[in-house]
Amino acid sequence: MSMIEFHDVNKYYGKFHALKNINLTVERGEVVSIIGPSGSGKSTLLRTINGLEHISSGQLLVDNFDLADAKTDMNKIRKNVGMVFQHFNLYANKTIMENITLGPIRVLKVSKAEAEERANKLLGLVGLQDQANKLPSMLSGGQKQRIAIARALAMKPKAILFDEPTSALDPEMIGDVLDVMKKVADQGMTMIVVTHEMGFAKEVGDRLVFMADGEIREESNHPKEFFQNPQDPRAKEFLSKIIHAD
Amino acid sequence: MKTKKHHLLIWVLLCLTLLVSSIAIAPQQETAAAPKTDAKLTAIKKRGYMVLGVSADYPPYEFHKTINGEDKVVGFDIDLARQVAKDIGVELRIKELGFDSLLGSLKTGKVDMIVSAMTPTPEREKEVAFSQPYLTVAQKVIVRKGEENKYRSVMAFKGQKVGVQKQTTQEQTAKDELSGAKVVSLEKVTDLILNLQQKKLNAVVVEAPVANAYVQTNKALTLANVKFTNADYGCAVAVAKGAPAYLANVNKTIKTVQKNGQFAKWQKTANTLMFSKQNFWQAYGSYFLKGTGITIVLTILGVFFGSLLGTLLALMKRAKNKLIKGIAVVYIQYFRGTPLLVQVFMIYFGTQVIHLNVSAFASAALALSLNSGAYVSEVIRSGIQSVAKGQSEAARSLGLSSKQTMRLVVLPQAVKTILPALGNEFISLLKESAIVSVIGVGELMFQTSVVQGSSFKPFLPLVIASLIYFALTLILSLVLRVFEKN
C-alpha cells in the first residue's frame, strides 16, 4: 500500500479554488519535492496530509486512513506523520529536551528516561548534543530547525512533511539543515518537501512535483531531467526566473 | 445658646403635635376591627425573629455609635422597632440598606418592616402599607451662615439650587413650595451638607431633628427662617400589604409608647447619644478597619471565583458546539454591557423573587464574581490568542490532543500575557466593590457613609476612604509587579 494517495482532491477557501483536482501518490520510502511559485498551493497541499487543512472534495488516504471520513482519528495519523515548519514552531516555554520528549511521553506513553535516551541520540544525529537544556530562544534559526527535525523523528513517524524548512534561514545556516535532511532521507524515511532549494530537489529527491495555480502541472520521476528540460510552460517560466535569481 | 433654645422649642412643639395627632387618630383605629392573625404575622412568630430594614445614617432617627467599644445601630426608630418585635414576642434583627433599597427589600420579603424616618406618600402607599405616624416633624432649610438673611421666605429661592434627599418628603416639599428653586436630589444627607459647604448648593431641606443636629455641630451652617405651609409630615412604620393583623400589632405598640411617654424618652436618649463628644479615631477608626477588611475579603472572593468562571467562559467561547459558545458569548456581553450597580440589585432582589434568601454579603460576592468572570474571560481569551498559531499547529502535528495542546503548550505561554492584564482587573474590582454598599454590605464605602452620617462630618471620612483605597491598590500593584518579574 502506498503511504499517501490523493484522488481528485479539491480545496476551496470560500470561493477561492486553492487545490484543483489533485492526483498524487507517494510510496513508502520515497522523497518527493514540491516546487512552484508562491501562492501555488504547495503548502496547502502539504497541510492537508496531516489534517491541518480539510479537503473540500475527493479522497485522501494517509497510511490507509481516509481523511475525509469523520470517524478517522486525526491524532492517530498525526502520530505517524511528523511535520517540520518554516518558522520551526519549537515550544517557546520548553527546553530543547522537553520539546523533543513531549510527544513521546504524552502521546506514545514512553517513559521519561527512555524518551530522553532517544532524544540524546537524535540530538547527536542533528549535531546539537550540548544544547539539550537551553530554551529555543537561545538558538540560531538553523539550530532551531535541526531541533525541529529531531522533534519530528522522536515520534518514530512513518513520514515527515517539510514545509519550506530553509526559507526562514540565513544562507549560511541552510547547508547544515539540508545535510540533516539528507541523512534522514538516507535512512529510508518517507519525505514530502515543499522547498525553494532546487539543489535539494535535484540531488536528494526521488521525484519532483511542480505546482502552479493550485494544480499539479508537471510530475517527474527524474528530477535532474526536469531541471534540464521542463515541459510545462509555467515550469519553464519559473525555472528561468530561479536561474536568473541565482 | 440661641440655637439650642430653638431646638428645644421644636421638640416641645413636636411632642405637642404628636400628642394631639395620637388622640385624634386613636378612635378611628379602634373602630377598625382587625383579625387576630394573618399569614405574615404567623410566619414571623414561627420564625422567632423579625427583620428591620433601616438606612442607619440618619441621626437621631437611626445611626451608628460605638458604645463600650462595640458598634451599635441606635436611635429612636431602632428603639421603636425593638418594642414592636418585643410586643409580638420575637427577636429583632437589623438589616442595613440604602434608603433607596428599603421599599424593594420590603416588597420582596428581605425585611419584615421599615422604620427609617419614612413618610407615607401616595406613591409609597401604592407599594406598601403604613402604620399610623409615630412622629410628626417639621421641615427646615439649612443655609450657610451669613446668608440666612437672603432666604426669608419661600419666594427667595427662585433660581437657587436647593438640595434634598432623593425620594423623600423634603423632595416633594421643595418642589411644591419653594417656587422657582432648582431642586437637586441626592442619595444622602451627608452629601447634601457637603455640597452646601462647597457652595455647590445654596440650601438644603431636611427634617427638623436632622437640621438641628447639623447646625449645632457645624459652625458654618445655620437655619433659614422659612415657614412651609404644608410642611408637617408624619413618620410611619412600613410593612408589606395584606397583613392587617400584623399592622394592627404595630399600631398598638406605637399607641402605647406614645401614651406612656416611652417614645419621648427614646428621643431624648437618641439626642444625647447623637451629641456625645468622642475622639474621631476612637469613635470611628473601627468602622474603617472593619470596612477595609470586608472590602478585601469581597475582592479576594470576586477575584478567585471570577478567575475560575472566566477560565471556564474563555474555554466555552472556543468550543465547537454552537450552544455552549452562544451561552458564553451572551453571558460575557450581558455582564460587560450592563452596569455593575444594576447587576448587584438584580441578584440581591432577583434571588428573593425566586424564593432564595441570599444575604447581602453573598449577593455582593456573587455579583462581583459573575461580573469579573466576564472580564477575566476576555483577558484569558486574548492571552490565548496572543500565543502564535504555529505553537498549537506544531503540537497538534505531533499528535497531541487539543486538550493537551492547550494545557501543555498554549496556556503556559498565554500566562505571560494574562497575568498583567489580570492584575489590572483585580485592581479595578477592588475599586468597583464600593458599589455593593447600596445593598448594605458593610464594606469600606458603606462604613464611610455611616461615619459621615453619625459624625456630622461629611468630607473627612471621604478623604480617609480614598486614602485607604489608594493604599490598597498601590500595595496590590506592587505585589503584582513582583509577580510579573518572576
Side-chain angles (χ1 to χ4, degrees):
Chain A
M1 268 311 234
S2 308
M3 183 67 211
I4 296 160
E5 292 178 36
F6 284 85
H7 296 294
D8 300 323
V9 168
N10 284 283
K11 164 80 184 168
Y12 291 89
Y13 291 110
K15 278 184 182 164
F16 178 66
H17 201 169
L19 294 179
K20 294 173 185 163
N21 214 33
I22 302 293
N23 284 287
L24 178 70
T25 302
V26 179
E27 300 301 334
R28 290 176 198 268
E30 239 187 339
V31 177
V32 177
S33 311
I34 304 177
I35 63 168
S38 44
S40 59
K42 307 181 298 282
S43 287
T44 306
L45 179 78
L46 197 71
R47 289 161 64 90
T48 58
I49 297 170
N50 70 351
L52 286 180
E53 303 286 350
H54 296 289
I55 61 172
S56 305
S57 70
Q59 193 187 33
L60 174 51
L61 299 175
V62 178
D63 198 21
N64 295 333
F65 286 104
D66 183 353
L67 260 64
D69 187 345
K71 277 180 250 162
T72 302
D73 180 1
M74 281 314 302
N75 290 338
K76 265 189 192 158
I77 294 166
R78 287 172 178 154
K79 193 163 76 174
N80 290 323
V81 180
M83 186 151 183
V84 174
F85 298 85
Q86 181 179 358
H87 295 288
F88 334 120
N89 296 352
L90 295 182
Y91 310 132
N93 58 323
K94 301 203 178 297
T95 65
I96 299 309
M97 180 55 81
E98 288 167 340
N99 261 276
I100 298 173
T101 56
L102 183 72
I105 292 173
R106 296 287 173 169
V107 182
L108 303 180
K109 310 289 181 195
V110 169
S111 75
K112 196 180 171 208
E114 201 182 328
E116 287 187 350
E117 193 192 324
R118 178 160 166 75
N120 278 321
K121 276 186 196 155
L122 290 168
L123 283 171
L125 178 78
V126 300
L128 294 167
Q129 298 94 318
D130 46 351
Q131 311 289 334
N133 295 317
K134 291 189 178 168
L135 283 171
S137 55
M138 299 158 86
L139 303 189
S140 73
Q143 289 174 323
K144 280 184 200 168
Q145 197 59 301
R146 281 143 69 194
I147 297 298
I149 295 171
R151 180 173 70 172
L153 286 170
M155 293 292 287
K156 297 185 180 166
K158 294 179 181 171
I160 301 182
L161 312 173
F162 291 83
D163 191 2
E164 304 196 20
T166 56
S167 301
L169 298 179
D170 291 336
E172 73 270 21
M173 306 276 185
I174 293 174
D176 290 343
V177 172
L178 289 179
D179 285 345
V180 170
M181 287 171 68
K182 260 177 226 160
K183 273 192 210 168
V184 176
D186 290 343
Q187 289 176 356
M189 178 63 68
T190 309
M191 292 165 66
I192 303 169
V193 186
V194 171
T195 187
H196 291 296
E197 285 302 316
M198 297 308 145
F200 180 88
K202 209 187 284 182
E203 305 299 334
V204 186
D206 299 317
R207 211 136 61 82
L208 186 134
V209 172
F210 174 78
M211 286 185 76
D213 299 326
E215 282 179 291
I216 294 180
R217 300 292 284 256
E218 191 168 342
E219 230 185 300
S220 168
N221 288 328
H222 304 285
K224 280 177 190 158
E225 281 175 24
F226 169 83
F227 280 103
Q228 278 159 11
N229 188 18
Q231 302 298 309
D232 183 73
R234 290 294 301 273
K236 281 181 188 163
E237 188 194 336
F238 177 70
L239 285 183
S240 71
K241 276 184 188 163
I242 295 276
I243 287 156
H244 279 296
D246 282 347
Chain B
M1 229 19 228
K2 200 180 167 194
T3 41
K4 204 161 198 181
K5 250 184 203 163
H6 192 65
H7 175 66
L8 272 175
L9 192 71
I10 296 269
W11 280 110
V12 172
L13 275 173
L14 252 172
C15 294
L16 271 175
T17 35
L18 267 178
L19 203 66
V20 172
S21 61
S22 64
I23 292 165
I25 289 163
Q28 282 179 348
Q29 292 291 320
E30 268 157 27
T31 51
K36 279 236 155 53
T37 191
D38 56 46
K40 183 77 198 170
L41 189 59
T42 316
I44 289 171
K45 280 184 173 164
K46 204 174 156 194
R47 219 193 293 144
Y49 67 88
M50 61 189 298
V51 183
L52 164 71
V54 65
S55 171
D57 54 359
Y58 205 62
Y61 291 76
E62 47 263 328
F63 55 104
H64 281 260
K65 199 84 197 175
T66 309
I67 297 165
N68 299 329
E70 209 178 320
D71 174 36
K72 283 199 166 135
V73 180
V74 294
F76 53 77
D77 277 356
I78 308 298
D79 292 321
L80 175 61
R82 195 158 276 132
Q83 190 64 44
V84 168
K86 198 178 162 194
D87 289 351
I88 292 177
V90 295
E91 183 199 329
L92 183 77
R93 294 192 183 172
I94 297 172
K95 188 169 215 122
E96 290 186 60
L97 293 155
F99 193 80
D100 274 355
S101 311
L102 287 174
L103 283 181
S105 300
L106 184 60
K107 281 189 75 184
T108 52
K110 287 261 177 201
V111 302
D112 298 312
M113 68 172 166
I114 301 171
V115 190
S116 194
M118 192 176 267
T119 311
T121 61
E123 291 82 23
R124 286 178 187 154
E125 277 168 343
K126 272 184 218 153
E127 310 287 325
V128 296
F130 281 98
S131 71
Q132 65 182 76
Y134 58 85
L135 179 68
T136 310
V137 288
Q139 313 300 326
K140 291 279 168 187
V141 182
I142 308 179
V143 295
R144 287 183 291 274
K145 194 163 259 178
E147 293 183 10
E148 62 266 35
N149 291 335
K150 272 163 71 181
Y151 306 106
R152 284 172 175 275
S153 80
V154 289
M155 303 307 288
F157 292 91
K158 195 163 186 177
Q160 302 292 320
K161 280 193 176 166
V162 177
V164 291
Q165 205 179 2
K166 201 158 83 186
Q167 290 189 358
T168 57
T169 317
Q170 294 81 42
E171 187 178 41
Q172 204 55 46
T173 307
K175 280 180 180 163
D176 292 347
E177 301 197 23
L178 298 179
S179 52
K182 288 180 194 153
V183 176
V184 178
S185 304
L186 297 177
E187 175 84 3
K188 291 190 190 118
V189 175
T190 50
D191 293 340
L192 292 171
I193 299 298
L194 194 55
N195 274 292
L196 179 63
Q197 287 176 333
Q198 308 298 328
K199 304 192 177 177
K200 301 226 159 65
L201 292 171
N202 295 319
V204 168
V205 183
V206 288
E207 296 175 355
V210 180
N212 291 328
Y214 274 101
V215 169
Q216 282 192 16
T217 50
N218 199 318
K219 299 266 183 293
L221 301 176
T222 188
L223 292 177
N225 191 13
V226 177
K227 293 262 185 303
F228 294 106
T229 50
N230 193 16
D232 290 357
Y233 294 98
C235 290
V237 177
V239 298
K241 281 197 167 184
Y246 175 35
L247 184 59
N249 260 292
V250 174
N251 277 328
K252 204 175 141 203
T253 302
I254 291 172
K255 211 165 72 186
T256 312
V257 299
Q258 284 178 335
K259 258 190 189 157
N260 66 14
Q262 188 63 48
F263 193 80
K265 274 185 205 157
W266 289 335
Q267 284 183 302
K268 235 183 190 166
T269 316
N271 280 340
T272 317
L273 276 175
M274 179 168 73
F275 293 122
S276 69
K277 284 254 184 273
Q278 277 173 304
N279 173 296
F280 186 84
W281 283 112
Q282 256 171 13
Y284 304 113
S286 63
Y287 292 78
F288 290 109
L289 211 61
K290 190 175 155 204
T292 306
I294 294 178
T295 290
I296 291 172
V297 170
L298 271 178
T299 308
I300 290 172
L301 285 176
V303 160
F304 180 74
F305 289 107
S307 301
L308 288 185
L309 182 66
T311 312
L312 181 70
L313 284 167
L315 294 176
M316 281 171 73
K317 214 177 167 182
R318 295 171 61 85
K320 286 202 183 91
N321 184 315
K322 284 209 172 115
L323 180 70
I324 292 175
K325 192 179 172 173
I327 291 171
V329 168
V330 170
Y331 179 95
I332 293 165
Q333 199 61 39
Y334 177 80
F335 277 92
R336 299 208 317 163
T338 56
L340 178 59
L341 181 64
V342 176
Q343 292 163 17
V344 170
F345 277 127
M346 290 274 289
I347 288 164
Y348 187 53
F349 295 130
T351 47
Q352 200 66 36
V353 169
I354 55 168
H355 300 291
L356 277 173
N357 199 357
V358 180
S359 73
F361 180 82
S363 300
L366 189 63
L368 288 174
S369 304
L370 293 180
N371 184 274
S372 98
Y375 285 94
V376 169
S377 77
E378 289 297 283
V379 165
I380 290 176
R381 189 185 60 90
S382 62
I384 288 172
Q385 275 179 354
S386 75
V387 177
K389 204 180 159 209
Q391 293 285 315
S392 58
E393 277 187 354
R396 297 309 304 276
S397 298
L398 291 179
L400 265 66
S401 69
S402 57
K403 268 183 206 156
Q404 286 176 320
T405 302
M406 186 54 72
R407 190 163 54 88
L408 300 170
V409 177
V410 177
L411 279 183
Q413 296 185 51
V415 163
K416 275 184 200 159
T417 327
I418 291 172
L419 264 189
L422 214 53
N424 286 337
E425 170 56 25
F426 296 165
I427 288 171
S428 79
L429 192 70
L430 179 79
K431 294 183 289 174
E432 297 249 311
S433 69
I435 283 175
V436 304
S437 61
V438 291
I439 55 168
V441 179
E443 46 65 71
L444 183 52
M445 201 57 221
F446 180 85
Q447 303 292 0
T448 303
S449 66
V450 166
V451 176
Q452 282 181 301
S454 35
S455 67
F456 300 100
K457 287 187 170 62
F459 193 64
L460 182 64
L462 281 179
V463 175
I464 295 168
S466 81
L467 288 178
I468 294 175
Y469 277 117
F470 179 70
L472 288 177
T473 53
L474 191 69
I475 292 166
L476 192 53
S477 41
L478 289 177
V479 169
L480 286 166
R481 198 172 300 169
V482 172
F483 253 103
E484 276 168 38
K485 270 190 188 156
N486 296 340

